[in-house]
């Protein structure tokens, strides 16, 4: 059976069961406060007397502690507020229940802490089940639409049934699979009753957790049990059993699978007196039998495997929770969380996010097949919030941490019992449910990752999950696991093109996939990191090593005694025993090194080099791919999140959460893997890596949260090229966070963020990363004039040492360039500045000419492809010629006349007043009747950028180049010079033809 025992517990009164064990520890005695202890103040003359009193209190500690507990209980009502004795106990009860159940777990804070139970609750589908329909408990909620079951609201659960008789309350059994929302419904019911919005027919609502009741070993009466939990309700008249007062009482038992109820008369005696002490399980049995307070109504919440434990004759109504059975409920849930704040509600990106998610749910995708479970809706929201709404002000979150929290919320403290009963002996045979998941489903996930498969047949599920069960206890565990948990992880495969032809089974055999693709990679990573992938020899070696290690001290003591009588040569054999644990330690270290090598190899697989980065893959799995499908270079499935999850699981906070799930990752294991991982990563980074692979590396270092490892790995990286990577706020935050781990002396030769769709808000997050770059490439982004304010502050920052700044193809305009030029007088590190195709006009160029003398270190200036005419171009050439260090000026693709180009070349060569400074002016592929020395870089720049430029204008300029080349060729008398002209003409014509071909393909 599934129980929460000695391993801790996660409370179930919260959204998707989102409460920790500590929450329940406080809730079991929610209304008790500790009395003030006597204190010793400085200068008190009664100090010796007070010490004597404290000494006597210490001797009489047991009696004093019992008296203190009674005194604390008597003043519990002062916990939340000062309450007068004439107040209605029921009103006190409502107020305290509301404070208790309004508590939200810390996991909800990642959504901004803006949620309240009223705004984020979406009612799941509840179906009333008839007796004959309970056989189909494991059917998908989508199949229930063809049955005769009808939906119910929570208020309708206690409407009279056909079998209801006057004077008797209803017993309602509310059941559902893991993650369907049982805890959320119970929590909302209690809050609505406290607020007077629901269940107003009942004057008193008494919620109990069966986990608490199962731990009680002493007999207690019903009234004392209520008084023990809710002291203000002690001896309340509604529970006296007199007349029909109990008809106004509703008992709520959550987690009935924790109770071992025996309805046999010989085991559970009949009782109708609420004052008679009995074991808690017997009290519940008599309440269900209607011997005890027959007028009271009872609501029981349980899982599928425990439905048959309560005889049918004691259940008035069966109600199954089916989660969110339609996309509209799912959309309402996503909207309540992702558009909760006013700022998010007005954010077009957030609204577009909801629309894309809704389209994916309507398309009968794999996500739609599992989002009927509110737990996966929570996981989807948490992941999307992480991907799109990460800010520097928010707490540090990782993708691995989200999935670890997801498992803690759903399986924290859950144990899988091999025996029935709640005695201490039975608890010794309990194992962590999460550990069982890792050993079964995790092994299946690992096999799929190793064989590049995401779908599994019934035979494979039987092989990996039910394979080697032998004893009755193991079979019992397996049956409960398959009934309650297995469907939570695996769902029937929705046929789509996402599954390759290799995964299609013959004879249309039913296939199963993991509910969320990343879930398979997480469980496979956890299976490896926990060291469960061991051979039989490794397992035997481990057991022998432990046994010898435990016995080594005893053997040493015995040998010291026998050495007095036996020759010393014989002891060499016995000393070999001490070497075995050391040998095992070396083998274990080698195995950890293999884990690190696996992480590095999986990170940089050649066949995955053309894929999107992992964060884009996660987003596509949730939102789908809209528009043209990405090109597939390999038919096999890639598992690039697998090594990243392996690194994230070694992070300290995740290890703490996993320890609560009885999945312990030792610190020595982390040290060994980290030490080996650094070596393998540095080795892989010595090879050129695509931008997407570098982004994945940054994500791995961020998930690891190990500054020392990050510094050691980055020390081998001199350039970070992320060109064409679709940057988001999260990726910008990751890049800045990773580079911020290094010292101020660490600098990259180049940080290339060209064609990354950067915006002004992203620049704010990238500020710390820019300080570690000598060359900063921000070409082909969406940076406007407001971004120049940030760039100006960056150039004025004394910690910045940027020598090359490339801003090509950003709409900076004259206003933005003027702001940027304000940094020139105080910045002396800039050597190369590119303002090509930034919307710079004559006024901006003239101001640039005036500002250039204020910066004495600039060597090359690129203002090509702007709106600069002859007058402004002449001013720029004159300013550059008078500048002490500028040697190259780019002016091509500007509306400069032929006469203006001729004058520019002469001005660049000849200085005024004896100044011999020469400036290379690149205005065209020709210089008069000769070939320009800069024709090759001009054509190269045009070829690289023509696809994003205005094709009409570029083609016009190329035709002007051809005319200039034809005119210059005709002027030449030398055969070799004419041949050189012809060569350049062919290059320009090839560029023009390629551009025309691209234009025609786009029009089609």
């Amino acid at each position: 059976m599934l129980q929460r025992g000695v391993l801790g517990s996660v409370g179930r009164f919260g959204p998707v069961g989102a409460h920790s064990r500590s929450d329940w520890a406080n809730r079991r005695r929610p209304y008790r406060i500790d009395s003030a202890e006597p204190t010793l103040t400085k200068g008190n003359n009664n100090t010796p007397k007070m010490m004597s009193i404290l000494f006597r209190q210490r001797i009489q500690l047991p009696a004093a502690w019992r008296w203190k507990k009674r005194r604390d209980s008597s003043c519990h009502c002062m916990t939340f507020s000062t309450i007068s004795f004439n107040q209605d106990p029921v009103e006190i009860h409502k107020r305290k229940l509301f404070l208790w159940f309004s508590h939200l777990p810390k996991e909800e804070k990642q959504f901004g802490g803006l949620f309240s139970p009223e705004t984020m609750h979406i009612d799941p589908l509840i179906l009333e089940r008839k007796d004959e329909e309970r056989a189909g408990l494991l059917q998908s909620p989508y199949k229930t639409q063809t049955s005769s079951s009808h939906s119910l609201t929570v208020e309708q659960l206690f409407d009279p049934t056909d079998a209801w008789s006057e004077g008797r309350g209803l017993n309602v059994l509310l059941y559902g699979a893991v993650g369907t929302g049982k805890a959320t419904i119970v929590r909302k019911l209690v809050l609505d009753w406290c607020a007077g919005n629901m269940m107003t027919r009942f004057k008193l609502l008494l919620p109990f957790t069966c986990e608490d009741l199962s731990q009680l070993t002493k007999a207690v009466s019903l009234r004392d049990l209520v008084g023990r939990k809710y002291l203000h309700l002690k001896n309340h008249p509604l529970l006296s059993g007199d007349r029909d007062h109990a008809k106004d009482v509703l008992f709520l038992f959550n987690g009935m699978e924790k109770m071992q109820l025996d309805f046999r008369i010989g085991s559970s005696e009949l009782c109708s007196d609420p004052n008679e002490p009995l074991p808690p399980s017997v009290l519940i049995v008599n309440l269900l039998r209607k011997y005890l307070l027959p007028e009271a109504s009872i609501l029981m919440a349980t899982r599928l495997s425990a439905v048959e434990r309560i005889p049918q004759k004691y259940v008035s109504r069966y109600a199954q929770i089916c989660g969110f059975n339609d996309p509209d409920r799912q959309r309402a849930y996503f909207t309540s969380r992702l558009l909760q704040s006013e700022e998010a509600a007005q954010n077009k990106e957030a609204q577009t996010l909801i629309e894309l998610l809704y389209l994916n749910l309507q398309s009968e995708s794999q996500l739609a097949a599992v989002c009927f479970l509110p737990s996966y809706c929570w996981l989807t929201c948490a992941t999307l919030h992480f991907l799109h709404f990460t800010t520097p002000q928010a707490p540090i979150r990782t993708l691995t941490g989200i999935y670890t929290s997801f498992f803690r919320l759903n399986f924290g403290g859950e144990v899988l019992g091999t025996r029935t009963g709640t005695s201490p002996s039975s608890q010794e045979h309990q194992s962590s449910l999460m550990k069982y998941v890792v050993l079964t489903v995790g092994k299946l996930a690992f096999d799929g990752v190793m064989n590049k498969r995401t779908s599994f047949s019934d035979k494979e599920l039987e092989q990996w999950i039910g394979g080697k069960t032998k004893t009755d206890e193991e079979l019992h565990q397996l049956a409960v696991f398959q009934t309650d948990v297995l469907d939570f992880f695996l769902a029937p495969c929705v046929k789509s093109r996402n599954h390759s032809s290799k995964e299609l089974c013959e004879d249309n055999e039913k296939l199963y996939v993991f509910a969320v693709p990343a879930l398979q990679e997480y469980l496979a990573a956890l299976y490896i990191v926990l060291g469960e992938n061991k051979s039989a020899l490794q397992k035997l070696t481990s057991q022998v090593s432990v046994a010898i290690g435990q016995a080594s001290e005893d053997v040493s003591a015995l040998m010291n005694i026998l050495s007095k009588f036996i020759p010393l040569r014989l002891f060499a054999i016995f000393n070999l025993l001490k070497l075995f644990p050391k040998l095992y330690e070396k083998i274990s270290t080698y195995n950890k090194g293999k884990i690190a090598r696996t992480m590095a190899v999986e990170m940089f697989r050649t066949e995955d080099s053309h894929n999107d980065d992992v964060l884009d893959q996660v987003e596509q799995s949730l939102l789908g791919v809209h528009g043209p499908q990405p090109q597939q270079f390999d038919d096999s499935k890639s598992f690039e999140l697998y090594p990243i999850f392996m690194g994230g699981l070694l992070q300290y906070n995740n290890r703490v959460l996993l320890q609560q799930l009885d999945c312990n990752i030792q610190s020595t294991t982390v040290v060994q893997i980290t030490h080996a991982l650094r070596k393998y990563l540095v080795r892989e980074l010595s090879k050129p890596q695509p931008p997407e692979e570098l982004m994945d590396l940054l994500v791995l270092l961020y998930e690891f949260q190990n500054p020392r490892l990050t510094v050691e790995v980055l020390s081998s990286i001199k350039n970070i090229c992320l060109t064409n990577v679709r940057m988001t706020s999260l990726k910008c935050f990751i890049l800045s966070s990773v580079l911020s781990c290094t010292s101020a002396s660490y600098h990259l030769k180049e940080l290339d963020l060209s064609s990354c769709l950067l915006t002004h808000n992203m620049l704010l997050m990238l500020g710390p990363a820019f300080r570690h770059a000598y060359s900063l490439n921000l070409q082909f982004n969406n940076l406007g004039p407001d971004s120049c304010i940030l760039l100006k502050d960056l150039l004025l920052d004394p910690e910045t040492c940027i020598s090359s700044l490339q801003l090509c193809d950003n709409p900076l305009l004259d206003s933005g360039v003027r702001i940027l030029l304000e940094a020139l007088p105080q910045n002396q590190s800039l050597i190369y500045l590119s303002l090509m195709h930034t919307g710079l006009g004559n006024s901006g160029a003239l101001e640039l000419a005036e500002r250039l003398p204020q910066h004495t270190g600039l060597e090359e200036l690129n203002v090509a492809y702007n709106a600069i005419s002859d007058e402004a171009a002449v001013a720029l050439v004159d300013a550059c010629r008078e500048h002490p260090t500028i040697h190259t000026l780019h002016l091509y693709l500007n509306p400069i006349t032929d006469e203006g180009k001729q004058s520019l070349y002469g001005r660049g060569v000849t200085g005024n007043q004896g100044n011999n400074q020469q400036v290379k002016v690149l205005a065209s592929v020709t210089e008069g009747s000769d070939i320009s020395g800069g024709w090759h870089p001009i054509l190269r720049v045009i070829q690289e950028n023509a696809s994003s430029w205005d094709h009409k204008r570029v083609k016009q300029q190329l035709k002007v180049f051809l005319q200039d080349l034809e005119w210059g060729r005709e002027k030449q008398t030398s055969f070799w010079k004419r041949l050189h002209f012809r060569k350049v003409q062919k290059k320009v014509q090839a560029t023009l033809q390629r551009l025309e071909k691209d234009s025609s393909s786009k029009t089609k």
Side-chain angles (χ1 to χ4, degrees):
M1 61 171 289
L2 283 177
Q3 297 177 342
R4 285 195 186 91
V6 294
L7 297 175
S9 171
V10 173
R12 309 307 295 167
F13 289 125
V16 198
H19 291 289
S20 64
R21 175 73 174 177
S22 59
D23 296 335
W24 278 113
N26 295 330
R27 293 180 181 184
R28 290 173 183 170
R29 298 292 183 269
Y31 310 132
R32 176 174 297 169
I33 59 172
D34 292 333
S35 59
E37 297 291 345
T39 56
L40 298 179
T41 58
K42 185 176 180 180
N44 191 348
N45 296 329
N46 297 325
T47 300
K49 183 178 180 180
M50 182 63 70
M51 293 295 296
S52 176
I53 293 175
L54 292 176
F55 180 73
R56 290 197 301 271
Q57 287 181 351
R58 183 178 180 184
I59 296 177
Q60 302 172 357
L61 181 60
W65 178 250
R66 289 194 297 271
W67 173 84
K68 180 179 180 293
K69 289 180 67 177
R70 290 195 298 269
R71 187 183 67 173
D72 290 344
S73 299
S74 65
C75 64
H76 76 282
C77 58
M78 303 298 291
T79 303
F80 297 107
S81 61
T82 303
I83 302 172
S84 59
F85 291 99
N86 58 356
Q87 281 188 306
D88 184 4
V90 175
E91 293 300 322
I92 300 174
H93 182 62
K94 286 183 178 181
R95 182 163 60 253
K96 293 183 175 180
L97 278 184
F98 188 85
L99 291 174
W100 183 13
F101 281 81
S102 295
H103 171 73
L104 291 177
K106 63 180 181 181
E107 282 77 10
E108 296 294 345
K109 295 180 180 179
Q110 64 185 318
F111 298 105
L114 301 170
F115 296 112
S116 63
E118 294 78 13
T119 58
M120 71 178 182
H121 178 78
I122 304 298
D123 291 321
L125 176 67
I126 302 176
L127 293 179
E128 182 176 8
R129 292 297 194 183
K130 297 181 179 179
D131 298 338
E132 61 272 13
E133 292 178 327
R134 289 185 294 114
L137 296 178
L138 299 182
Q139 292 181 354
S140 170
Y142 296 104
K143 297 180 180 180
T144 60
Q145 299 174 0
T146 60
S147 67
S148 59
S149 302
H150 64 277
S151 61
L152 295 172
T153 64
V154 177
E155 189 75 42
Q156 293 172 339
L157 289 176
F158 290 93
D159 288 348
T161 62
D162 296 336
W164 177 77
S165 59
E166 187 70 29
R168 283 183 173 246
L170 293 179
N171 294 343
V172 178
L173 183 60
L174 187 66
Y175 65 91
V178 176
T180 51
K182 299 184 299 297
T184 305
I185 287 180
V186 170
R187 181 173 180 272
K188 187 65 165 53
L189 185 152
V190 175
L191 291 175
D192 285 344
W193 177 80
C194 294
N197 300 327
M198 185 183 294
M199 295 294 180
T200 55
R201 70 184 77 179
F202 299 109
K203 296 181 180 178
L204 185 60
L205 174 62
L206 297 172
F208 290 92
T209 59
C210 293
E211 178 192 0
D212 288 341
L213 298 180
S214 66
Q215 302 300 321
L216 299 179
T217 57
K218 295 183 178 180
V220 63
S221 68
L222 178 62
R223 301 190 74 178
D224 288 341
L225 179 64
V226 174
R228 182 173 180 174
K229 293 294 180 182
Y230 310 105
L231 189 59
H232 47 275
L233 297 178
K234 190 173 184 180
N235 299 324
H236 197 279
L238 292 179
L239 302 173
S240 63
D242 297 338
R243 301 178 184 178
D244 60 348
H245 293 332
K247 66 181 177 58
D248 297 325
V249 178
L250 173 60
F251 287 94
L252 195 161
F253 296 105
N254 189 38
M256 284 293 287
E257 67 271 8
K258 313 296 190 304
M259 298 298 300
Q260 297 298 321
L261 304 180
D262 194 341
F263 287 85
R264 295 174 297 178
I265 299 297
S267 301
S268 299
E269 61 180 290
L270 300 178
C271 174
S272 61
D273 184 5
N275 296 306
E276 182 177 348
L278 292 172
S281 60
V282 178
L283 290 178
I284 295 178
V285 168
N286 280 282
L287 284 172
L288 294 174
R289 286 172 174 167
K290 297 304 179 185
Y291 274 87
L292 184 61
L293 301 183
E295 302 86 1
S297 295
I298 301 173
L299 176 62
M300 301 163 284
T302 187
R303 288 184 174 173
L304 294 173
S305 60
V307 172
E308 299 297 335
R309 294 183 189 175
I310 303 175
Q312 177 184 341
K313 62 181 178 180
Y314 298 132
V315 179
S316 307
R317 174 177 281 127
Y318 290 94
Q320 182 180 8
I321 306 176
C322 299
F324 303 145
N325 67 318
D326 60 87
D328 291 332
R329 290 178 188 264
Q330 297 163 9
R331 180 175 184 172
Y333 182 91
F334 295 136
T335 302
S336 67
R337 288 180 173 267
L338 297 178
L339 298 181
Q340 180 66 27
S341 65
E342 296 182 1
E343 181 179 355
Q346 298 176 357
N347 188 349
K348 293 183 178 179
E349 179 185 358
Q351 295 175 355
T352 304
L353 194 67
I354 295 294
E355 292 299 328
L356 292 176
L357 185 59
Y358 184 60
L359 289 175
N360 194 28
L361 294 174
Q362 286 183 316
S363 63
E364 298 183 357
S365 62
Q366 191 65 51
L367 180 66
V370 299
C371 268
F372 74 90
L373 291 175
S375 289
Y376 282 106
C377 290
W378 182 92
L379 180 61
T380 301
C381 280
T383 306
L384 289 177
H385 198 276
F386 170 70
L387 292 175
H388 289 270
F389 301 106
T390 295
T391 61
Q393 295 76 25
I396 295 295
R397 295 175 296 164
T398 63
L399 188 62
T400 312
I402 290 175
Y403 276 80
T404 305
S405 298
F406 170 74
F407 281 108
R408 191 189 75 88
L409 292 176
N410 287 279
F411 298 102
E414 294 281 2
V415 296
L416 197 62
T418 58
R419 294 181 180 180
T420 59
T422 57
S423 62
S425 61
S426 67
Q427 294 183 359
E428 295 176 0
H429 297 272
Q430 296 173 352
S431 60
S432 165
L433 176 57
M434 188 62 198
K435 192 65 174 292
Y436 192 88
V437 168
V438 174
L439 294 176
T440 54
V441 184
K443 190 174 183 180
L444 174 70
F446 173 71
D447 179 74
V449 170
M450 290 295 99
N451 294 288
K452 307 303 175 186
R453 297 176 60 247
T454 59
S455 58
F456 309 91
S457 63
D458 286 314
K459 293 181 181 179
E460 290 171 322
L461 295 185
E462 183 179 356
Q463 173 188 354
W464 292 109
I465 296 179
K468 299 181 180 180
T469 55
K470 297 179 180 180
T471 65
D472 290 341
E473 293 176 346
E474 291 174 340
L475 288 174
H476 175 73
Q477 276 188 331
L478 178 62
V480 174
F481 180 78
Q482 289 178 336
T483 303
D484 287 340
V485 183
L486 186 58
D487 289 343
F488 181 79
F489 293 99
L490 297 170
C493 177
V494 176
K495 294 182 180 180
S496 66
R497 53 189 166 187
N498 293 333
H499 299 279
S500 63
S501 57
K502 297 179 182 180
E503 299 187 35
L504 299 178
C505 293
E506 299 179 357
D507 301 328
N508 293 324
E509 185 178 3
K510 191 174 184 179
L511 296 177
Y512 296 88
V513 297
F514 280 85
V516 175
L519 201 63
Q520 177 180 356
E521 300 178 69
Y522 179 92
L523 289 174
L526 185 58
Y527 180 78
I528 289 297
V529 172
L530 289 177
E532 298 299 336
N533 185 34
K534 297 178 181 177
S535 63
L537 178 62
Q538 290 173 337
K539 294 180 180 179
L540 178 63
T541 305
S542 175
Q543 295 172 358
V544 173
S545 175
V546 172
I548 293 179
Q550 293 175 347
S552 60
E553 295 182 1
D554 297 335
V555 172
S556 298
L558 180 61
M559 292 301 101
N560 289 333
I561 297 174
L562 295 179
S563 63
K564 306 295 183 181
F565 311 100
I566 300 178
L568 296 177
R569 294 180 180 179
L570 297 179
F571 289 96
I573 300 176
F574 294 102
N575 288 333
L576 292 176
L577 295 174
K578 299 181 181 180
L579 297 178
F580 198 93
K582 296 181 180 179
L583 176 62
Y584 169 72
E585 183 179 354
K586 292 183 178 180
I587 295 175
S588 177
T589 303
Y590 173 75
N591 292 333
K592 303 303 185 297
K594 288 178 61 179
I595 295 176
R597 183 176 181 276
T598 301
M599 293 172 63
V601 170
E602 291 293 330
M603 274 291 300
F604 302 106
R605 293 173 70 241
T606 305
E607 53 267 37
D608 295 338
S609 60
H610 299 286
N611 297 338
D612 293 332
D613 62 85
V614 290
L615 296 180
D616 280 352
Q617 293 180 34
V618 171
E619 181 178 355
Q620 290 170 10
S621 69
L622 298 178
L623 301 181
V625 179
H626 302 273
Q629 297 293 320
Q631 183 178 359
Q632 295 293 335
F633 293 89
D634 191 0
D635 194 38
S636 63
K637 167 69 178 177
S638 62
F639 294 93
E640 298 182 73
L641 265 177
Y642 168 60
I644 292 176
F645 277 142
M646 292 173 68
L649 288 170
L650 301 179
Q651 196 256 340
Y652 176 76
N653 291 334
N654 289 323
R655 287 191 286 127
V656 170
L657 292 180
L658 288 171
Q659 189 174 12
Q660 299 175 14
L661 300 171
D662 198 35
C663 297
N664 299 317
I665 303 175
Q666 302 297 330
S667 298
T668 54
T669 301
V670 178
V671 173
Q672 293 169 356
I673 294 177
T674 304
H675 179 73
L677 180 63
R678 180 192 61 80
K679 177 179 65 176
Y680 288 118
L681 287 180
V682 171
R683 181 184 304 173
E684 292 292 336
L685 289 173
S686 62
K687 313 169 188 176
Q689 299 296 337
E692 291 78 11
E693 295 296 306
L694 281 178
M695 189 69 240
D696 292 348
L697 172 67
L698 295 174
V699 175
L700 171 65
L701 296 176
Y702 174 78
E703 293 282 328
F704 214 123
Q705 293 288 308
N706 188 324
R708 182 175 179 180
L709 174 67
T710 301
V711 171
E712 292 175 347
V713 172
L714 289 180
S715 62
S716 63
I717 299 178
K718 301 304 179 184
N719 300 286
I720 293 182
C721 177
L722 299 178
T723 181
N724 293 319
V725 173
R726 186 182 66 90
M727 295 297 287
T728 62
S729 58
L730 173 62
K731 295 175 187 177
C732 294
F733 179 74
I734 289 176
L735 177 59
S736 293
S737 299
V738 170
L739 289 178
S740 296
C741 294
T742 61
S743 63
S745 60
Y746 172 80
H747 289 93
L748 296 166
K749 289 183 178 179
E750 182 180 16
L751 177 59
D752 189 350
L753 295 175
S754 59
S755 302
C756 291
L757 304 179
L758 294 177
T759 62
H760 174 75
N761 292 332
M762 294 181 189
L763 284 188
L764 288 172
M765 307 181 76
L766 287 170
F770 292 160
R771 296 188 180 93
H772 294 277
Y774 286 122
S775 176
L776 181 59
N777 189 345
L778 298 177
Q779 298 182 120
F780 308 104
N781 285 293
N782 193 30
L783 306 178
D786 53 345
S787 300
C788 291
I789 300 176
L790 301 175
L791 294 174
K792 182 194 73 172
D793 295 338
L794 177 67
L795 294 176
L796 293 176
D797 190 342
E799 298 181 2
T800 301
C801 55
I802 295 177
S803 59
S804 174
L805 179 60
Q806 302 179 53
L807 299 173
C808 170
D809 274 83
N810 287 289
L812 303 181
L813 306 179
D814 287 342
S815 58
V817 173
R818 288 192 185 96
I819 297 173
L820 190 64
L821 295 178
E822 295 177 5
L824 291 183
Q826 300 181 35
N827 177 277
Q828 300 301 322
S829 64
L830 198 61
I831 296 177
Y832 173 68
L833 176 62
S834 174
L835 297 174
M836 181 172 60
H837 197 207
T838 56
L840 184 66
N842 288 326
S843 61
L846 291 173
E847 185 165 352
L848 175 60
E850 295 177 2
R851 295 270 190 173
L852 281 179
Q854 301 175 1
H855 190 284
T856 57
L858 198 63
E859 297 180 0
E860 187 172 355
L861 178 64
N862 189 340
V863 289
Y865 196 7
N866 282 296
I868 302 175
S869 59
D870 293 13
E871 181 182 355
V874 169
L876 275 174
V877 172
D878 290 343
C880 292
R881 187 187 56 209
E882 299 298 332
H883 197 278
T885 56
I886 294 179
H887 55 72
T888 305
L889 175 63
H890 300 255
L891 282 171
Y892 44 87
L893 298 183
N894 277 294
I896 304 175
T897 63
D898 293 338
E899 294 78 7
K901 293 176 184 177
Q902 296 300 324
S903 65
L904 293 179
Y905 299 135
R907 286 178 173 272
V909 174
T910 305
N912 292 333
Q913 299 177 358
N915 187 359
N916 294 324
Q917 176 70 20
Q918 296 184 359
V919 178
K920 182 188 293 184
V921 180
L922 303 180
S924 179
V925 293
T926 60
E927 294 181 3
S929 60
D930 293 328
I931 295 289
S932 172
W935 72 269
H936 188 273
I938 292 176
L939 281 185
R940 178 176 53 82
V941 171
I942 293 176
Q943 291 171 355
E944 292 176 352
N945 306 320
S947 59
S948 62
W949 286 349
D950 183 5
H951 287 190
K952 182 178 180 181
R953 179 175 174 181
V954 175
K955 286 189 291 184
Q956 181 181 0
Q957 289 291 329
L958 290 175
K959 291 177 181 179
V960 172
F961 288 169
L962 289 175
Q963 294 175 1
D964 294 342
L965 289 169
E966 183 65 25
W967 179 83
R969 188 170 65 89
E970 293 177 354
K971 296 291 183 181
Q972 299 297 326
T973 57
S974 170
F975 171 77
W976 298 110
K977 286 189 176 181
R978 291 170 64 89
L979 186 63
H980 191 197
F981 268 89
R982 187 61 182 167
K983 176 184 176 181
V984 178
Q985 273 184 302
K986 289 183 177 181
K987 293 283 187 180
V988 176
Q989 287 174 349
T991 304
L992 182 60
Q993 291 173 359
R994 189 181 305 113
L995 192 60
E996 290 177 344
K997 183 178 180 180
D998 293 341
S999 300
S1000 60
S1001 62
K1002 288 183 178 180
T1003 55
K1004 292 180 181 179

